[in-house]
């Protein structure tokens, strides 16, 4: 049993905080409130300092295949509300390719991701609650695939080189890399102003080589992708809720009413304490899930549990933070509001708490 | 970061499981099913304690120089977990809290006469802390011990002295300095329950667990019955508090119950082709309990690691206490919902399930949110130590 971070992990956290706090000030973040939320300079800095190689093997220029390290990156991105949406690129594409693709693809794609090239994924579909069964289809004709379907909530797709698509075929589920210029993109406007897209594929033809995994491993790869995405999204949630909790502590320790600091009222401090408890639970289930996924490609229950906690923590801490801040919580000149929007996004994308409770319940009652 | 039990710890877990399977005989089970023996104290219970003593399974947290095994906090946690899963009412407070304090800080007589017998499983202690007017604010306690030429004269009243009805001694907190600040004037004594000045009246509780009000009327004890320095008792009371709180919220019993209810639901038919566990709301209840247990397990494991690495983290210990005690109440409710009306049948009834454990556990769960340091105080500690907020008032 050892809950301590290795020294290199603490270093990652500290130096990320240095970079991110400089580039995510209120003034700088304001620029992205109504514009395309993607900070190219920041991405370049993360790349040149090696942070895009977290969780990737040294032979591609990464810093080692530890998913806990990658979790630190997403936690800190969340904590600083960074204008970067990287889970499609660094989690869905990079990690799935690392685990399921041949050496050649890994060499090519992972090295270019580490160098700052953008890839993304398009997995979720409107009105399909079960991402393991894509409604998007891939017809296999000789050496070609013909892909048709509609995806959404794909991140920063307009600047991505290629998109990893999940599709159903007569050979089972496939994960296919499709060039961005082959699809129709529509930018969606969403609650946290994240750069999310609808992706339409209308009989898009690609070579069979574009399938990223060995024959017959598509579902396994997709399940891994979905689970790891849940866990990394829960790390973003951890950063977001950690920041909101520290804002609560700071604000209620200074704000005075009735001649005293409001943090000295138990009704206030106890609500803050409940946020701390929720946060601690989320941190621990995330840690367990990321560590287990290091050695086991299928940890569905661990991933579900971490996303369940993330969904609940995002909801509860966000509303506690707003409430305890009074009017400040909704004032766009203060910091909190951005986190509340991010919290709702983390809560709902790739499985809400209730949806995941349903799934976990099925697993528990049928697998034993 | 490594979040799992190692080989040695898993081996200990297996060893303990096997040991308790052998120890808990049908005769012991039937004795423990009688309300007056829920907390132990019967002849079978006493036999089992002596057997455990002679097999070396008492005094696990004690230092080796006092005859203990000096297990690490995680190993102690595994022990508590395994015992609690069996349902055996092991007297942890006597063996793991009072015992090691007497072994370390007691007089020569106490070490020889008391500590040794605790290790052998021959003595049980009741804990005399709370009083009618001193609960959460324990340091305001008023039971007096007045120094005399040949010892101390004790007078006062204690509340919630559990196990006193079959204890040999009371581990008694008294006031010995009336001038000093509250917590600086407290001393600890070993008080025999066969003294004519000792009496009690039963308090019967919601959970059918008996506890007692105990009375101390001119009880004279010799100097040898004082444990630790005079007026230094408060540190003895608080030194083991974190381990005690952790034992209160051990994830073993609730996980055991969850597994048992799950198993029953999978074999309970609700119509010709459906089982109880096929219902979606039943699945949801199980999922909520399961994800709650995972968090509890991790919180407790982390707490043992914090203790093991000698760190002091008050906020995390309080997180464990608050989260665990409130989760139990929620979990029992969710599991009772699964079994529905069947879960209100008592253990002497027909048609009862799981030996009516659900029916009993929900009635005993409420004491944990205030017992062992009330959750309001724990939340105060979390806000102060975890979030660096100002002290509440």
């Amino acid at each position: 049993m050892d809950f301590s971070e290795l020294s290199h992990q603490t270093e990652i956290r500290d130096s990320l905080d240095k970079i991110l706090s400089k580039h995510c000030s209120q003034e700088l973040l304001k620029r992205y409130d109504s514009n395309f939320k993607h900070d190219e300079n920041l991405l370049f800095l993360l790349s040149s300092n090696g942070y895009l190689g977290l969780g990737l093997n040294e032979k591609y220029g990464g810093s080692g295949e530890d998913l806990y390290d990658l979790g630190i990156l997403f936690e800190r991105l969340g904590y600083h509300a960074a204008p970067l949406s990287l889970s499609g690129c660094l989690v869905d594409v990079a990690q799935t390719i690392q685990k399921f693709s041949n050496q050649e693809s890994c060499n090519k794609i992972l090295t270019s991701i580490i160098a700052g090239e953008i890839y993304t994924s398009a997995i979720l579909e409107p009105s399909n609650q079960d991402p393991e069964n894509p409604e998007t289809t891939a017809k296999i004709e000789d050496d070609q695939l013909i892909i048709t379907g509609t995806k959404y909530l794909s991140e920063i797709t307009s600047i991505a080189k290629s998109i990893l698509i999940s599709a159903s075929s007569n050979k089972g589920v496939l994960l296919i890399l499709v060039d961005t210029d082959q699809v129709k993109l529509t930018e969606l406007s969403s609650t946290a102003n994240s750069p999310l897209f609808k992706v339409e594929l209308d009989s898009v033809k690609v070579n069979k080589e574009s399938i990223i995994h060995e024959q017959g491993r598509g579902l396994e790869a997709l399940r891994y992708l979905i689970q790891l995405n849940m866990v990394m999204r829960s790390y973003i949630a951890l950063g977001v809720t950690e920041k909101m909790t520290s804002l609560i502590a700071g604000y209620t320790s200074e704000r005075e009413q009735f001649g005293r600091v409001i943090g000295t009222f138990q009704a206030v401090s106890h609500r803050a304490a409940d946020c701390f408890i929720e946060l601690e639970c989320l941190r621990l289930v995330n840690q367990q899930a990321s560590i287990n996924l290091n050695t086991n490609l299928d940890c569905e229950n661990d991933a579900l549990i971490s996303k369940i906690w993330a969904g609940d923590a995002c909801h509860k801490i966000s509303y506690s933070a707003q409430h305890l801040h009074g009017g400040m919580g909704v004032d766009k000149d203060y910091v909190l509001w951005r986190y509340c929007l991010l919290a709702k996004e983390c809560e709902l994308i790739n499985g809400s708490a209730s949806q995941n409770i349903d799934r976990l319940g099925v697993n528990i009652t049928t697998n034993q | 970061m490594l979040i799992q039990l190692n080989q040695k710890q898993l081996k200990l877990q297996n060893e303990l499981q096997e040991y308790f399977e052998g120890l808990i005989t049908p005769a012991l089970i039937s004795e423990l099913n009688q309300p007056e023996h829920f907390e132990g104290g019967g002849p079978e219970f006493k036999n089992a304690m002596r057997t455990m003593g002679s097999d070396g399974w008492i005094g696990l947290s004690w230092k080796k120089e006092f005859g203990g095994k000096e297990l690490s906090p995680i190993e102690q946690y595994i022990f508590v977990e395994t015992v609690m899963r069996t349902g055996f009412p092991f007297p942890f407070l006597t063996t793991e809290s009072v015992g090691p304090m007497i072994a370390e800080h007691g007089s020569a007589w106490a070490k020889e006469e008391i500590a040794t017998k605790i290790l052998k499983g021959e003595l049980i202690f009741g804990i005399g802390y709370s009083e009618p007017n001193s609960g959460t604010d324990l340091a305001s306690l008023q039971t007096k011990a007045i120094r005399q030429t040949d010892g101390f004269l004790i007078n006062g009243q204690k509340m919630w002295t559990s196990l006193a009805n079959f204890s040999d001694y009371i581990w008694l907190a008294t006031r010995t300095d009336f001038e000093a600040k509250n917590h600086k004037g407290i001393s600890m004594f070993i008080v025999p329950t066969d003294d004519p000045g000792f009496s009690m009246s039963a308090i019967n509780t919601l959970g059918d667990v008996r506890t007692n009000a105990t009375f101390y009327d001119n009880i004279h004890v010799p100097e040898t019955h004082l444990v630790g320095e005079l007026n230094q008792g408060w540190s003895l009371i608080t030194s083991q508090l974190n381990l005690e709180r952790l034992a209160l919220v051990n994830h073993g019993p609730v996980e055991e119950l969850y597994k048992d209810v799950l198993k029953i639901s999978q074999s309970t038919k609700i119509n010709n082709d459906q089982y109880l566990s096929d219902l979606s709301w039943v699945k949801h209840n199980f999922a909520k309990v399961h994800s709650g247990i995972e968090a509890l397990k991790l919180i407790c494991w982390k707490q043992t690691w914090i203790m093991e690495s000698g760190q002091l983290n008050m906020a995390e210990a309080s997180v464990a206490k608050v989260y665990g005690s409130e989760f139990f109440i929620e979990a029992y409710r969710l599991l009772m919902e699964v079994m529905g009306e069947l879960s209100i049948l008592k253990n002497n009834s027909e048609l009862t399930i799981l030996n009516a454990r659900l029916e009993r556990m929900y009635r005993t769960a409420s004491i944990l949110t205030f017992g062992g340091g009330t959750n309001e105080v724990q939340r105060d500690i979390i806000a102060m130590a975890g979030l660096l907020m100002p002290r509440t008032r």
Side-chain angles (χ1 to χ4, degrees), chain B residues 280-314:
Chain B
S280 60
W281 66 266
V282 170
K283 293 181 204 286
H284 293 179
N285 280 21
F286 283 130
K288 285 177 188 167
V289 175
H290 181 74
S291 56
I293 290 172
E294 278 301 298
L296 179 60
K297 177 193 80 182
L298 293 167
I299 287 173
C300 290
W301 280 0
K302 183 172 181 183
Q303 190 58 30
T304 64
W305 169 77
I306 288 173
M307 289 174 185
E308 204 152 320
S309 48
Q311 308 169 46
L312 187 72
N313 192 322
M314 287 169 69

Side-chain angles (χ1 to χ4, degrees), chain A residues 1-4 68 252-253 260 264 266 269-270 272 274 280 288 291 309 357-358 361 364-365 368, chain B residues 1-2 258 262 266 283-284 287 291 294 297-298 302 305 316 323 376 379-380 389-393:
Chain A
M1 204 69 64
D2 185 0
F3 285 85
S4 57
Y68 183 83
T252 62
S253 297
R260 59 195 257 205
T264 60
Q266 272 194 331
S269 70
H270 286 191
D274 283 337
E280 183 62 14
Q288 172 164 274
I291 288 173
W309 275 101
I357 280 172
D358 187 69
I364 289 169
T365 49
Q368 290 188 354
Chain B
M1 189 142 327
L2 181 74
Y258 156 77
L262 179 60
Q266 287 169 320
K283 293 181 204 286
H284 293 179
S291 56
E294 278 301 298
K297 177 193 80 182
L298 293 167
K302 183 172 181 183
W305 169 77
E316 303 238 13
Y323 173 75
E376 278 72 19
R379 283 190 168 89
D380 284 351
M389 288 173 63
R391 180 184 287 275
T392 53
R393 49 184 172 136

Side-chain angles (χ1 to χ4, degrees), chain A residues 17-118:
Chain A
D17 277 343
K18 262 186 211 146
I19 297 176
L20 291 170
S21 57
K22 203 167 145 194
H23 288 263
C24 302
S25 66
Q26 273 301 292
E27 283 315 302
L28 292 173
L29 287 182
K30 266 189 184 160
R31 289 191 211 162
Y32 300 100
D33 288 341
S34 49
N35 297 315
F36 189 68
K37 196 167 92 178
H38 175 75
D39 184 344
E40 243 171 88
N41 291 332
L42 181 54
L43 184 74
F44 175 77
L45 264 179
L46 292 184
S47 166
S48 53
N49 284 287
Y51 293 116
L52 303 185
L54 290 173
L56 293 175
N57 196 297
E58 287 91 341
K59 62 187 171 196
Y60 313 118
S63 58
E65 288 187 40
D66 192 342
L67 294 171
Y68 183 83
D69 295 357
L70 187 60
I72 297 175
L73 173 66
F74 282 100
E75 181 198 315
R76 297 334 284 168
L77 289 172
Y79 186 90
H80 295 277
L84 286 175
S85 300
L86 295 176
S87 65
C89 184
L90 300 183
V91 180
D92 300 358
V93 176
Q95 290 298 328
T96 311
I97 282 181
Q98 171 162 267
K99 289 291 187 321
F100 291 92
S101 292
N102 58 32
Q103 198 64 43
E104 196 193 331
S105 312
C106 285
N107 275 332
K108 193 180 126 208
I109 297 170
L110 300 184
T111 26
S112 70
I113 285 178
I114 291 171
E117 177 122 61
I118 298 285

Side-chain angles (χ1 to χ4, degrees), chain A residues 128-139:
Chain A
N128 177 9
Q129 292 275 305
D130 182 9
E132 284 180 24
N133 283 304
E135 281 169 5
T136 300
T137 55
K139 216 160 112 194

